[in-house]
Amino acid sequence: MPSQSPTRRDPQKGKKGFSKNKGFTVIELMIVVATVAIILSLALPSYRTIIEKRAVSSGAEQVMAFLSSAQVEAVKRNRFVAVNYQWNDGNWCLGMTEGRNDAVDCDCSVADSCLLDEGDANEQERVLWSSVLNRPEVLSAATLGTGDANTLVFDPVRGLVVDTESAQVQLSSPDGETYALHVNMTATGRVDICNDNDRAGKVVPGYEDC
């Protein structure tokens, strides 16, 4: 007679209340939710700190690049080039034009006021608007000159700063108290970025102290 293979018995067969549906219990779900909440509470301050540091450093780098480009334009064109700064209710701008002292006619808050090659076919407006920054409010103070705190002039020979010993632009985090960077330009035309010495323990990485 042919042998019959034994059939395997389901060990759960016949047990009452057994369900094949698998899932999480309420306690397990509560543990997961609590764990996620703790992780988020720890990560959020760190994320906010990163954003504030990046906003300040990004603004400082753009201001530094604009001042450096004005210096280069003065030497390249062999003409005096001035940078004008204006602030109005949190909105600010930096404008670039040719000229020196009384000959400077540049108000970056006025359209088509700060021009290079004015009157030529290559005429162009050179303005850095606060709106191009992710956090325009980070720029908290600026002093570009001694006689006229809103204007900085570069000479056409070596790109040196004219009639002032230094210029400074300060940018701080939106709360005004956490992180701050200074964009400094000396009379020799050297421009750099440094951390505010008054913000002990609040350092933006990558920059030396002022």
Side-chain angles (χ1 to χ4, degrees):
M1 292 180 64
S3 60
Q4 295 181 354
S5 59
T7 57
R8 180 174 297 177
R9 179 177 178 275
D10 186 353
Q12 304 296 338
K13 187 176 181 179
K15 289 187 177 181
K16 295 182 179 180
F18 177 79
S19 174
K20 293 183 179 180
N21 297 326
K22 298 180 180 180
F24 297 103
T25 66
V26 175
I27 295 178
E28 290 172 333
L29 289 174
M30 291 177 64
I31 292 173
V32 172
V33 171
T35 303
V36 172
I38 292 172
I39 293 174
L40 290 177
S41 65
L42 295 175
L44 189 58
S46 298
Y47 179 73
R48 185 180 295 112
T49 296
I50 293 173
I51 294 299
E52 288 181 355
K53 288 181 180 179
R54 185 55 190 161
V56 174
S57 61
S58 176
E61 288 167 4
Q62 290 194 59
V63 171
M64 176 181 176
F66 190 85
L67 294 176
S68 297
S69 66
Q71 186 178 32
V72 171
E73 290 291 345
V75 176
K76 183 176 70 175
R77 297 166 180 273
N78 194 28
R79 297 180 181 179
F80 289 96
V81 171
V83 174
N84 174 261
Y85 164 74
Q86 297 291 335
W87 173 281
N88 183 18
D89 294 333
N91 298 313
W92 58 269
C93 60
L94 291 170
M96 186 188 312
T97 191
E98 298 176 10
R100 177 180 180 180
N101 300 337
D102 295 338
V104 174
D105 183 17
C106 171
D107 182 345
C108 62
S109 62
V110 178
D112 298 325
S113 175
C114 299
L115 302 170
L116 290 179
D117 299 317
E118 185 174 2
D120 297 341
N122 297 323
E123 178 182 276
Q124 56 181 319
E125 185 177 37
R126 296 292 295 273
V127 176
L128 174 64
W129 300 97
S130 60
S131 57
V132 305
L133 300 183
N134 293 330
R135 305 291 289 273
E137 69 272 25
V138 297
L139 194 147
S140 54
T143 302
L144 297 187
T146 52
D148 182 353
N150 291 331
T151 303
L152 183 69
V153 181
F154 297 97
D155 78 30
V157 180
R158 290 175 293 175
L160 303 181
V161 178
V162 177
D163 298 333
T164 185
E165 295 182 355
S166 63
Q168 182 183 90
V169 177
Q170 177 177 298
L171 300 96
S172 62
S173 49
D175 62 10
E177 300 177 356
T178 311
Y179 302 98
L181 290 174
H182 291 219
V183 181
N184 296 320
M185 176 164 282
T186 65
T188 60
R190 181 175 177 269
V191 58
D192 59 19
I193 301 174
C194 58
N195 280 289
D196 189 344
N197 290 332
D198 296 332
R199 311 290 174 104
K202 301 295 184 179
V203 176
V204 180
Y207 305 102
E208 297 180 353
D209 292 339
C210 295

